[in-house]
Amino acid sequence: VLGGVPQTVVRGIDSDTTFSPDGQRIAFARANAPEAGKFALIAVNLDGTDEHALHVGAPASDVPSSVAWSPNGKEIGFKLSRPDGALGGIALLSVGSGKVHEFSTFNDLLPGDFKWMPDGNGLLALYSQKGPDYFQRAQIGFVPSASSHVTPITRDTSSYITLTLSSDGKTLATVQTKTSQNLYVQRTGEN
């Protein structure tokens, strides 16, 4: 906000956003960029200048919804859709070289939003376990570096959306949701 008037910095953001550790750049994903049918991971200055595609992938429908810049500034994690036949995964993009390698893949869970631990030794992630209600119930877990295993932090009947982690990694904020359903019976009249 400049002078009390909101200013558009970047348009066409199709994921969450993440900031470089030095606070100078913003990264995000954009569908149908640089052309239709593809997606790009993009970094820009805080004022929206110096926009660069760091990685281009396809198809556009696989645009990652979650991105997270590593604490050392060298990598950006992004959500993978169906990597090598798995249900979900997380990849790492080298900011310097543009090369991508897998961080983790999961056959039985779907990762959602994730944040790096401050020491860079893993990620806190929302995830949905494969099963009858896995789109309705996300839990929070820890994913160590280079592991396909998630250590649950929450194990309850609630669901969680969004993650925010303090800079020291000791405080996690999220939104807890609970679903309740009601059944009503109405008599239509007696014959």
Side-chain angles (χ1 to χ4, degrees):
V1 179
L2 301 173
V5 179
Q7 301 291 315
T8 300
V9 176
V10 179
R11 295 184 189 277
I13 298 174
D14 294 309
S15 68
D16 58 1
T17 58
T18 185
F19 291 87
S20 61
D22 64 7
Q24 300 301 305
R25 307 270 293 161
I26 305 168
F28 58 91
R30 180 181 290 153
N32 293 309
E35 60 191 61
K38 296 184 177 181
F39 70 85
L41 295 177
I42 297 172
V44 301
N45 289 335
L46 293 180
D47 63 1
T49 61
D50 193 29
E51 182 174 299
H52 283 88
L54 303 173
H55 171 71
V56 176
S61 60
D62 284 351
V63 63
S65 60
S66 188
V67 294
W69 215 310
S70 67
N72 65 13
K74 296 179 180 179
E75 297 173 312
I76 297 174
F78 64 97
K79 182 179 170 182
L80 293 173
S81 296
R82 301 172 306 280
D84 299 324
L87 186 58
I90 299 170
L92 295 180
L93 165 69
S94 171
V95 175
S97 71
K99 292 183 179 179
V100 173
H101 67 277
E102 285 184 2
F103 178 80
S104 293
T105 57
F106 309 102
N107 291 321
D108 63 342
L109 62 88
L110 187 63
D113 191 9
F114 52 86
K115 303 293 184 233
W116 283 95
M117 294 298 292
D119 60 7
N121 72 350
L123 300 164
L124 284 181
L126 292 176
Y127 70 94
S128 299
Q129 191 77 34
K130 189 175 183 179
D133 65 347
Y134 80 99
F135 283 118
Q136 298 173 1
R137 216 180 65 134
Q139 296 294 297
I140 302 168
F142 175 69
V143 185
S145 294
S147 173
S148 292
H149 177 71
V150 174
T151 302
I153 293 173
T154 59
R155 294 181 187 177
D156 55 44
T157 59
S158 298
S159 188
Y160 299 90
I161 55 173
T162 74
L163 281 176
T164 302
L165 187 63
S166 64
S167 61
D168 65 4
K170 294 182 180 179
T171 305
L172 170 69
T174 187
V175 175
Q176 181 185 47
T177 62
K178 292 186 178 204
T179 302
S180 63
Q181 298 177 353
N182 297 313
L183 174 64
Y184 297 94
V185 177
Q186 180 177 351
R187 294 183 189 258
T188 60
E190 295 182 28
N191 290 348

